[in-house]
Amino acid sequence: MSNEDFNKRLFKYFDDHQKDYIQRLGDAVRIPSVSAWPDHRSEVVRMVEWTKSLMEKLGVKVELADIGQQKLADGTKIKLPDVILGTYGNDKTKKNILVYGHLDVQPAQVSDGWDTEPFVLTEKHGKLFGRGSTDDKGPVISWLNVIEAYQTLNEPFPVNVKFVLESMEEYGSDGLEDLLKSLKNTFLSDVDYVVISDSYWLGKEKPCLQYGLRGICYFFIDVESSTKDLHSGVFGGTVHEAMTDLITIMSTLVDDQGRILINGMYDDVAPLSPAEEQLYSKITFDVSTYCSEAGVKKTIQTEKEKILMHRWRYPSLSLHGIQGAFDGCGCKTVIPRHVIGKFSIRIVPNMKISTVEKLVENHVKQIMKTRNSPNKVSVKLEHGGNYWVADPNNPQYVAARKATVAVHGIEPDLTREGGSIPITLTFQEQTGKSVLLLPIGASDDGAHSQNEKFDISNYMNGMKVMSAYFQEVAKL
Amino acid sequence: MSNEDFNKRLFKYFDDHQKDYIQRLGDAVRIPSVSAWPDHRSEVVRMVEWTKSLMEKLGVKVELADIGQQKLADGTKIKLPDVILGTYGNDKTKKNILVYGHLDVQPAQVSDGWDTEPFVLTEKHGKLFGRGSTDDKGPVISWLNVIEAYQTLNEPFPVNVKFVLESMEEYGSDGLEDLLKSLKNTFLSDVDYVVISDSYWLGKEKPCLQYGLRGICYFFIDVESSTKDLHSGVFGGTVHEAMTDLITIMSTLVDDQGRILINGMYDDVAPLSPAEEQLYSKITFDVSTYCSEAGVKKTIQTEKEKILMHRWRYPSLSLHGIQGAFDGCGCKTVIPRHVIGKFSIRIVPNMKISTVEKLVENHVKQIMKTRNSPNKVSVKLEHGGNYWVADPNNPQYVAARKATVAVHGIEPDLTREGGSIPITLTFQEQTGKSVLLLPIGASDDGAHSQNEKFDISNYMNGMKVMSAYFQEVAKL
């Protein structure tokens, strides 16, 4: 049977089994594997077990790698979820492809503003709503669905596949980097290519391949004023309130145009070359669609090229919130004793995490020097992940472009991504091989937002692209 | 039997029944009647029913007054808890004393930093720990215990008592003011004196009577940037984040010395007269005890007199927190779509709520004028309560001073309070009579804090002072 004939059968098989695939994703979404909630760790572990069981049913050899403990803010320690190391096939004549994905999800609750229960996969108008549907349970299950389809159709798999599936991605991939370093000369030694499907198209229609990611430095500013919360009626006006210090510090970080106000933060940013500048105009990107996806009236920048640059090649700073202050509805008249302000900086070539950390520390120190406050103030880099940039013309990217054309009939855009998958860089360093970001979800999927969703059509087409990708890299 | 002989018996009765009184308070604390949590409204209602049942057992005639509905932030409405109107005795030859108290409590959960379960009354070293123990379930139950003791000892009660017990005090006494206005010519028309036990001594040892309270203006600053939460990786650097606007506004409200930065906010504050200034030096107040109770290294002011003035006669501004931002532990990389900053201003003679509201609105408008942001920003006075000042030499205060001397053997300090019981002023206006604040709890009771407690000795002595107070006002 020719490759083309087989693909016809294969793609039809995918379409015919849509209902089963949706049910499988629903089973995964039902497990609230939120890595940021320590009290949900057992759910994360349940998700690991569920996936392991599915992989073993497909004949994937699975090993669970212990990656140690997580130290919580209060000093207690809990076990990190095991990382799944899977091996499918060991034919020495075939290429070895490493697939990375993650099984944990962002926090979610209906009260955040979801229209449906976040942990119940809900189909509406061809979209599958649920936390983790697109980030990253859908893509992970898609890789496994592809293996299953080959088996059912009795077709030899074109490559050997290795899996690294972690469950702390939404909390900075705690423990994974050390694990990968330890596997450099064993599990990772014979890997030919690494592929990751944990990002999104630039728009809703046109596929893309991504060759760059921003990094992230996530900071906690910790301010402690007293040994207990105080009543503002009794103590207001006489004590140095922790919130006053914290809010002041947080207000000095970024201006209304998104410009970071920390001294020196732009010094290491790579200058924009004329060649790079030209790349942006070719990309299909609609500003008004972007605005409506974000649900904003207007963006800071107005030109397409400027917007893309500020997503991909310039740093940004977001204020996420405050832990320990009054966060409920109503009118609590509390003076909180201990508050932790949270913000992050997205970093880009050629910024260094250690420099960013030092600049933030100096900035906070400078601000506190101008204040007459006895409160304990400290700043901590809670986690840091580097940026990453690849060559979009290397053979793996060319293979993925062919696979995309085979399914979608168009060349994918070559883009970057504003978010971080810090482990991308680690895979590149530990394997010494090309890493490809192969998104199958659309820009409006709302990873990390309320009403996260995964289009059924992208779920189906995603499996087809993944299959074609395996076939193309097999030929390299 | 002489009054002195009866009081010996009565006070011994109180001491002998200490265990029963603690158990009764424990039953009340076990009901988590948090008025700020709409989903706990049924618990508030349960607390009202519990109290009604106790009062009826003592022969108090109880009527439940419907005070309408509460409109929540999301537009839905829920029933406000009924206000208990109680009448005990109708002897035309006796004085009519109105007792006010509240049955609701501040929010509390172990994770806030409690050493014990907040809704389980826990005895340790002569103190009773639990949410509501001192604020205000302990004092409310004390008034009822006094009636019960008279009955058991077969002694005629010296006065008629009317009760107004509400259950929205910790949420701004929603609906109570309108109720009291409607009762002006009926339930309230024959009241001779109003007494409230819902405040605290200035220190831990010496009783006081309070003749002044600060008011409060509680503000919500509402900033909305988009229709959904966004991922900072995808959108950071290109959208106008709601948090950036909110944090900036909040940073312009108060400086590191507690001085309010809103233009004109001190214009109406009554100037300090030499006569008033002299009052402060007489009061027993230890700065280092105050610091250790607050759990702070040092206060903003260092002299005793200055600290008292800033608690009682100057306005203050506290930043309480932010609703809608990331408030959990961990590192969520969210750009929140809709955040509500919460702060309050404690107001003093002769500030006007309407002026304060206008000044805050103007201030926020001015700040936003300097910013280039398309976000929807609005400010709302969520609730306002006026300050209150009485004459500490009126007959009711003199009677309460005698009652205090009879139990404690010392003259109480005449003090003010930095907190708000806005309804105090309403009682004064609607009855046209003297209102007395008769605290029985100590300054370190921690109302509104973690580990709120009520000393057993103050519980017992409080009932004695209340009994002696009834005897003294009966003579007026």
Side-chain angles (χ1 to χ4, degrees):
Chain A
M1 186 165 55
S2 80
N3 195 43
E4 210 169 295
D5 286 345
F6 170 68
N7 275 354
K8 269 192 195 152
R9 278 179 64 210
L10 179 67
F11 291 4
K12 182 170 184 314
Y13 180 90
F14 288 138
D15 292 332
D16 290 346
H17 290 79
Q18 182 174 303
K19 226 178 117 183
D20 301 330
Y21 295 135
I22 293 174
Q23 196 184 323
R24 179 170 283 168
L25 180 56
D27 291 344
V29 166
R30 201 167 298 119
I31 303 172
S33 50
V34 178
S35 50
W37 292 343
D39 65 344
H40 271 52
R41 187 54 46 87
S42 63
E43 297 294 339
V44 180
V45 171
R46 198 149 71 86
M47 185 64 210
V48 172
E49 291 297 333
W50 182 91
T51 310
K52 174 172 179 277
S53 158
L54 172 60
M55 294 171 80
E56 285 174 340
K57 245 191 330 210
L58 298 176
V60 181
K61 250 180 49 195
V62 172
E63 186 195 332
L64 294 184
D66 183 343
I67 51 170
Q69 291 192 304
Q70 179 186 7
K71 196 174 166 186
L72 303 180
D74 66 1
T76 60
K77 288 180 176 179
I78 56 172
K79 189 181 184 318
L80 286 164
D82 288 337
V83 173
I84 292 180
L85 302 177
T87 306
Y88 184 65
N90 60 356
D91 185 333
K92 297 283 179 224
T93 67
K94 292 181 183 173
K95 291 277 187 311
N96 296 309
I97 310 301
L98 187 142
V99 168
Y100 161 85
H102 65 89
L103 304 173
D104 60 319
V105 296
Q106 281 279 319
Q109 40 199 6
V110 173
S111 62
D112 294 341
W114 282 71
D115 297 329
T116 59
E117 274 294 332
F119 297 107
V120 175
L121 191 73
T122 307
E123 184 177 339
K124 273 198 300 187
H125 315 303
K127 299 171 205 293
L128 303 168
F129 291 89
R131 177 55 91 219
S133 57
T134 194
D135 181 17
D136 186 33
K137 290 178 177 177
V140 166
I141 288 170
S142 297
W143 293 114
L144 298 174
N145 292 342
V146 169
I147 290 179
E148 186 187 48
Y150 267 81
Q151 284 179 7
T152 315
L153 297 177
N154 239 327
E155 178 78 6
F157 210 71
V159 294
N160 303 318
V161 185
K162 295 200 167 193
F163 289 93
V164 175
L165 304 180
E166 68 151 327
S167 297
M168 288 300 286
E169 198 273 345
E170 304 293 3
Y171 198 83
S173 293
D174 259 25
L176 186 60
E177 188 173 341
D178 286 346
L179 174 70
L180 294 180
K181 283 179 181 167
S182 77
L183 296 174
K184 182 172 182 169
N185 298 316
T186 53
F187 187 78
L188 298 178
S189 64
D190 56 359
V191 167
D192 294 300
Y193 296 106
V194 180
V195 62
I196 299 177
S197 186
D198 183 26
S199 51
Y200 306 91
W201 296 348
L202 189 54
K204 288 192 273 192
E205 308 291 344
K206 192 173 176 191
C208 65
L209 303 180
Q210 290 158 330
Y211 66 95
L213 291 168
R214 291 195 289 190
I216 188 169
C217 291
Y218 202 113
F219 288 96
F220 285 11
I221 303 174
D222 192 299
V223 185
E224 204 171 343
S225 58
S226 60
T227 55
K228 56 182 172 182
D229 284 357
L230 301 174
H231 182 178
S232 67
V234 182
F235 293 97
T238 64
V239 295
H240 294 275
E241 304 187 11
M243 278 289 277
T244 313
D245 286 330
L246 179 62
I247 293 281
T248 301
I249 295 168
M250 290 177 82
S251 76
T252 65
L253 300 173
V254 61
D255 76 8
D256 57 1
Q257 299 308 297
R259 192 169 168 85
I260 302 173
L261 300 172
I262 298 163
N263 236 330
M265 198 53 82
Y266 291 90
D267 290 357
D268 290 339
V269 175
L272 181 69
S273 69
E276 187 195 334
E277 197 168 2
Q278 285 184 350
L279 277 179
Y280 293 92
S281 59
K282 293 181 203 155
I283 294 171
T284 303
F285 179 75
D286 182 57
V287 175
S288 68
T289 305
Y290 182 70
C291 283
S292 74
E293 270 165 26
V296 299
K297 276 178 283 187
K298 60 175 195 170
T299 46
I300 295 175
Q301 306 81 17
T302 49
E303 297 160 53
K304 170 183 104 172
E305 291 79 3
K306 284 266 159 50
I307 293 174
L308 293 177
M309 286 180 202
H310 279 273
R311 293 178 74 182
W312 297 343
R313 61 112 48 239
Y314 287 118
S316 65
L317 188 152
S318 296
L319 303 169
H320 304 297
I322 298 173
Q323 181 182 342
F326 175 51
D327 52 49
C329 55
C331 299
K332 194 171 175 181
T333 52
V334 67
I335 301 174
R337 60 170 285 270
H338 181 197
V339 288
I340 304 173
K342 301 190 172 181
F343 73 94
S344 66
I345 300 174
R346 297 280 167 180
I347 61 170
V348 296
N350 302 309
M351 294 168 80
K352 283 173 214 71
I353 292 174
S354 58
T355 309
V356 171
E357 183 178 16
K358 183 135 283 161
L359 291 174
V360 169
E361 277 171 5
N362 285 345
H363 179 83
V364 172
K365 255 184 222 153
Q366 285 307 315
I367 298 292
M368 286 311 295
K369 256 190 204 164
T370 68
R371 298 180 66 74
N372 185 358
S373 164
N375 294 333
K376 267 190 272 181
V377 177
S378 64
V379 58
K380 186 181 158 199
L381 176 67
E382 181 65 15
H383 79 83
N386 227 326
Y387 60 85
W388 166 82
V389 187
D391 171 11
N393 294 313
N394 79 38
Q396 183 178 213
Y397 276 76
V398 174
R401 279 147 75 169
K402 286 187 193 161
T404 306
V405 171
V407 175
H408 290 277
I410 42 167
E411 275 281 339
D413 273 333
L414 296 175
T415 67
R416 286 159 73 165
E417 171 78 73
S420 309
I421 314 175
I423 216 64
T424 311
L425 186 66
T426 312
F427 277 112
Q428 185 173 297
E429 287 167 353
Q430 300 309 316
T431 63
K433 298 293 160 62
S434 158
V435 180
L436 164 71
L437 299 189
L438 180 67
I440 61 172
S443 63
D444 63 345
D445 279 1
H448 297 211
S449 288
Q450 300 94 335
N451 303 320
E452 175 182 346
K453 61 88 181 164
F454 190 30
D455 293 350
I456 295 174
S457 59
N458 286 342
Y459 191 4
M460 296 303 116
N461 285 332
M463 290 186 285
K464 294 171 193 173
V465 170
M466 286 168 171
S467 307
Y469 159 81
F470 282 135
Q471 294 163 11
E472 291 296 336
V473 285
K475 299 180 199 162
L476 295 179
Chain B
M1 188 164 52
S2 79
N3 194 44
E4 209 169 298
D5 285 346
F6 171 68
N7 275 353
K8 269 192 192 152
R9 276 180 64 211
L10 179 66
F11 291 6
K12 182 172 184 310
Y13 179 91
F14 288 137
D15 292 333
D16 289 347
H17 290 78
Q18 181 175 305
K19 226 178 118 182
D20 301 330
Y21 296 135
I22 293 174
Q23 196 184 325
R24 179 169 284 169
L25 181 55
D27 290 344
V29 166
R30 200 167 298 120
I31 303 172
S33 50
V34 178
S35 49
W37 291 344
D39 65 344
H40 272 53
R41 188 54 47 86
S42 63
E43 297 293 341
V44 180
V45 172
R46 199 151 68 89
M47 185 64 207
V48 172
E49 291 297 334
W50 182 91
T51 309
K52 174 173 180 276
S53 158
L54 173 61
M55 293 170 82
E56 286 176 339
K57 246 191 328 211
L58 298 175
V60 181
K61 251 181 46 195
V62 172
E63 187 195 333
L64 294 184
D66 184 343
I67 51 170
Q69 291 191 305
Q70 179 187 6
K71 195 174 166 186
L72 303 182
D74 66 2
T76 60
K77 287 178 176 182
I78 56 171
K79 190 182 184 316
L80 286 163
D82 289 336
V83 173
I84 291 180
L85 302 177
T87 307
Y88 185 65
N90 60 358
D91 185 333
K92 297 282 178 221
T93 68
K94 291 180 182 172
K95 291 279 187 310
N96 295 308
I97 310 301
L98 188 141
V99 168
Y100 161 86
H102 66 89
L103 305 173
D104 61 317
V105 296
Q106 282 278 321
Q109 39 200 6
V110 174
S111 62
D112 294 341
W114 283 72
D115 296 329
T116 60
E117 275 293 332
F119 297 108
V120 174
L121 192 71
T122 307
E123 185 178 338
K124 273 199 299 189
H125 315 302
K127 299 171 207 294
L128 302 168
F129 291 90
R131 177 56 91 216
S133 57
T134 194
D135 182 16
D136 186 35
K137 290 178 178 177
V140 167
I141 288 170
S142 296
W143 293 114
L144 298 174
N145 292 342
V146 169
I147 292 178
E148 185 186 50
Y150 267 80
Q151 285 179 6
T152 316
L153 296 177
N154 238 325
E155 180 77 4
F157 210 71
V159 294
N160 302 318
V161 185
K162 295 199 167 195
F163 288 93
V164 174
L165 303 180
E166 68 152 325
S167 297
M168 287 301 285
E169 199 272 343
E170 304 293 6
Y171 198 82
S173 292
D174 258 24
L176 187 60
E177 188 173 342
D178 286 345
L179 175 69
L180 295 180
K181 282 179 181 169
S182 77
L183 296 174
K184 182 173 183 170
N185 299 315
T186 53
F187 188 77
L188 298 177
S189 65
D190 57 358
V191 167
D192 295 300
Y193 297 105
V194 179
V195 61
I196 299 176
S197 186
D198 183 26
S199 51
Y200 307 90
W201 297 346
L202 189 54
K204 288 192 272 193
E205 308 291 344
K206 194 175 176 190
C208 66
L209 303 180
Q210 290 158 330
Y211 66 96
L213 291 167
R214 290 196 289 190
I216 188 170
C217 291
Y218 202 114
F219 289 95
F220 285 11
I221 304 173
D222 192 298
V223 185
E224 206 172 339
S225 57
S226 60
T227 55
K228 55 183 173 180
D229 285 355
L230 301 173
H231 182 179
S232 67
V234 182
F235 294 97
T238 64
V239 295
H240 294 275
E241 304 188 10
M243 279 289 278
T244 313
D245 286 331
L246 179 62
I247 293 280
T248 300
I249 296 169
M250 289 177 83
S251 76
T252 65
L253 300 173
V254 62
D255 75 8
D256 58 1
Q257 300 307 296
R259 192 169 169 85
I260 302 174
L261 301 172
I262 298 163
N263 236 331
M265 198 53 81
Y266 290 91
D267 291 356
D268 290 339
V269 174
L272 181 68
S273 70
E276 187 196 333
E277 195 167 2
Q278 285 186 350
L279 277 179
Y280 293 91
S281 60
K282 292 180 201 156
I283 292 170
T284 303
F285 179 76
D286 182 59
V287 175
S288 68
T289 305
Y290 181 70
C291 284
S292 74
E293 269 165 28
V296 298
K297 276 178 282 188
K298 60 175 193 169
T299 45
I300 295 175
Q301 307 80 19
T302 49
E303 296 159 53
K304 170 182 101 171
E305 292 79 3
K306 284 267 161 44
I307 293 174
L308 292 177
M309 287 179 203
H310 279 273
R311 293 178 73 181
W312 297 344
R313 61 112 50 238
Y314 288 118
S316 65
L317 189 152
S318 295
L319 303 169
H320 304 298
I322 298 173
Q323 183 183 341
F326 175 51
D327 52 49
C329 53
C331 298
K332 192 172 176 178
T333 51
V334 66
I335 300 175
R337 61 169 284 269
H338 181 195
V339 288
I340 304 173
K342 301 192 173 179
F343 73 95
S344 66
I345 300 175
R346 298 281 168 179
I347 62 170
V348 298
N350 299 309
M351 295 166 81
K352 285 174 213 69
I353 292 174
S354 58
T355 309
V356 170
E357 185 178 12
K358 182 134 284 160
L359 291 174
V360 169
E361 278 171 4
N362 286 345
H363 179 82
V364 172
K365 255 183 223 153
Q366 285 308 315
I367 298 293
M368 285 311 295
K369 259 190 204 162
T370 67
R371 297 179 66 74
N372 185 357
S373 165
N375 294 332
K376 267 190 274 180
V377 177
S378 63
V379 57
K380 185 180 158 201
L381 176 67
E382 180 66 15
H383 80 83
N386 226 326
Y387 60 84
W388 165 81
V389 187
D391 170 11
N393 294 313
N394 80 38
Q396 185 179 213
Y397 275 78
V398 173
R401 280 146 77 169
K402 283 186 192 163
T404 307
V405 172
V407 175
H408 290 279
I410 42 166
E411 276 281 339
D413 273 333
L414 297 175
T415 66
R416 285 157 75 166
E417 171 77 74
S420 310
I421 315 175
I423 216 64
T424 311
L425 186 65
T426 312
F427 277 112
Q428 186 174 296
E429 287 166 353
Q430 299 309 316
T431 63
K433 298 293 161 61
S434 157
V435 180
L436 165 71
L437 299 187
L438 181 66
I440 62 173
S443 62
D444 63 344
D445 279 1
H448 298 211
S449 288
Q450 301 94 333
N451 302 322
E452 176 182 345
K453 60 86 181 167
F454 190 29
D455 293 350
I456 295 175
S457 59
N458 286 342
Y459 191 5
M460 297 302 116
N461 284 331
M463 291 186 283
K464 295 171 192 171
V465 170
M466 286 168 170
S467 307
Y469 160 80
F470 282 134
Q471 293 163 11
E472 289 296 335
V473 285
K475 297 179 198 163
L476 295 178

